[in-house]
Amino acid sequence: MSAAVFAKTLSDSRRSLIGWAVGTALVGMVYASTYPSQRQNTESIPEALRESLHVDGTAAGYLQATVFGVIVPLLAMIYGVAMGSRAIASDEESGQLDLLLAHPITRTRFALQRFGALVAGAFGIAALVWLAVLAVRSSAELTSVTPVELLAQCLNLALLAITFGALALGIGAAVGRRAVVLVVSAIAGVLAYTASTFATQIGADWLAYLSPFHYYIGGEPLKNGFQWGDGAVLVIASAVFVVAGVVRFNNRDVNS
Amino acid sequence: MENVIELRELTKTYGTRRGLTGLTLDVVRGEVFGFLGPNGAGKSTTIRLLLDLIRPTAGSATVLGLDPRGEGVELRRRVGYLAGDFVCDGRQNVRSYLRFLAALRGGVPEARIDDLADRLGLDQTAKIKKLSKGNRQKVGLVQAFMHTPEVLILDEPTSGLDPLVQQTFLDMVAEAAAGGQTVFMSSHIMSEVEAVAHRVGIIRDGRLVALDTVANLRTGTVRDVEVTFETSVPATAFADLPGASRLSLDETGTTLSGQVAGSPDALIKALSRYTVTSLRATEPALEELFHSYYEGAEAAPRTESARIA
Ligand SMILES: Nc1ncnc2c1ncn2[C@@H]1O[C@H](COP(=O)(O)OP(=O)(O)OP(=O)(O)O)[C@@H](O)[C@H]1O
Ligand SMILES: [Mg+2]
């Protein structure tokens, strides 16, 4: 079985992938290393106020609210959507898909190899983030979070990127239009974040269960370690997106 | 003779737009088949159906006895394809891109790629993005020919090529056919296909309007004739000659000019009764026959889109 498409996709995207991974890891590292000064700020807030604001002053609470709560997952999701939209829709719009699919490869295998490259990249980014945060773990006084707990959160980070990548790839496979992919994925991203963050406030807890974000961080891997059930939900969601997209891909015309 | 391509009532509609309507056609092993037709006739539609890039609305197509949908991998392994508007990833150089395409086919001897590139005058170290249109087309030709496929399916292969390279390409096609490969190529221009094709099919508005060998098509074509006689001949002398309805005598009755369709035999025999001082006849122009098929097609796409709008 030839993995030419997988290898080519990775090697073509290596520059942007490395750049994106290094950038994401650096952002995570910088945020993580400001924990000591943030903690002093938090400690100056009176205990009662802190509780009413749900401010968690522990290292895990800090990482969860900042590093792994907003910026790093956002960058990971952007990576997923970018790779996912490029997997099929971009090549189809530029006309390159015509040439590739005129080769002895099934559409399914083509899509899966593209998805494989996306998955590999997502794990690469997550691994680099893990190493970067580990590097500042003791200097930033984050030792109350174990490396394994960090790893558990980074695994979920990869799965989150993969879920959004699968969504983008699936839509691209189904409709072949990049603009549709980007608009739908962006809307899905915003909804996912809002649903998971504000579900409790608006009194609709069940809403959170629809959001990939909830399965990414809701189980608090930084405190509780690996959350296999949550991970499985993200894996299954990704599989559903990819399979649905590929089924449609197999049954439609390739646009010239 | 074994059919390499078989189309049966092949039909494709794009929503309400006509693509192809009931095309039935056979291409036999080892032949070069010229597939001609005006813009929007359905040439690219036919070709993309063969490679399973698009799916027929009705009818069927097979290549090498294989179903494009169900046995697409095997089919495409044995076919070389050049798209009408060949596009490829421009970010790398020619050599590494061709190597990648070869890997998709499980590998192609490096020497074969080098040979083809050298022959077409393609610089493999250049970045694809920076190539001119014609040179990019050469990349498309190399990838279609490099694995010496049993069938070559080429959509307007000469577009963008200069006359010298066009000649090289025609030589490559002739050699491929001599080596047993089958070539199915589309074009707008008869003269280009005429030189290498054994048979020609002309499609218009999604249906086949002519299908014959190049030799037979030639015999059905028209040639310009001009004959002068020593003395004037009767006005009715050539009036009811078969195929000569477009011949006319001048007032003096000494010059006969006009066109003869098909074989000039009847004219020659009729001429023998008089003293001829000069005779001029042109080569039969396939191009003209071809234009007669093209005329009337031009309006078709317009009226169709007007109806939709
Ligand atoms: N994706 C599509 N959507 C809608 N209509 C299409 C599509 N592709 C082709 N058509 C229509 O099908 C008809 C045949 O098009 P096709 O591209 O096969 O013509 P062609 O013979 O290759 O023309 P050309 O010589 O210009 O390349 C045209 O009327 C065209 O408008
Ligand atoms: Mg065309």
Side-chain angles (χ1 to χ4, degrees), chain B residues 35 61 90 104 129 266-267:
Chain B
F35 195 46
L104 282 179
K129 205 163 37 185
L267 175 67

Side-chain angles (χ1 to χ4, degrees), chain A residues 2 4-5 8 12 94-96 98-107 250-256, chain B residues 12 48 52-55 69 73 76-77 81 83 86-89 91-92 97 100-101 103-105 143:
Chain A
S2 156
V5 172
K8 181 73 160 47
D12 281 352
S94 72
Q96 284 175 45
D98 210 80
L99 174 65
L100 298 175
L101 292 181
H103 283 77
I105 181 167
T106 61
R107 294 187 192 182
N250 271 310
N251 286 299
R252 71 175 174 90
D253 290 350
V254 173
N255 301 319
S256 54
Chain B
K12 175 71 186 174
R48 298 184 78 240
D52 192 42
L53 293 166
I54 54 177
R55 274 63 188 267
R69 182 81 197 264
V73 171
R76 292 192 295 270
R77 197 174 59 73
Y81 165 64
F86 176 75
V87 205
C88 62
D89 189 351
R91 288 168 299 177
Q92 50 236 294
Y97 196 67
F100 161 63
L101 293 179
L104 282 179
R105 299 193 171 279
Q143 66 81 30

Side-chain angles (χ1 to χ4, degrees), chain A residues 254-256, chain B residues 12 14-15 17-20 37-46 48 84 155-156 186-188 203 301 304:
Chain A
V254 173
N255 301 319
S256 54
Chain B
K12 175 71 186 174
Y14 296 98
R17 283 185 77 84
R18 182 252 331 135
L20 205 59
N39 290 132
K43 303 178 298 292
S44 301
T45 299
T46 309
R48 298 184 78 240
D155 195 356
E156 288 175 45
S186 82
S187 175
H188 293 123
I203 80 166
E304 192 163 61

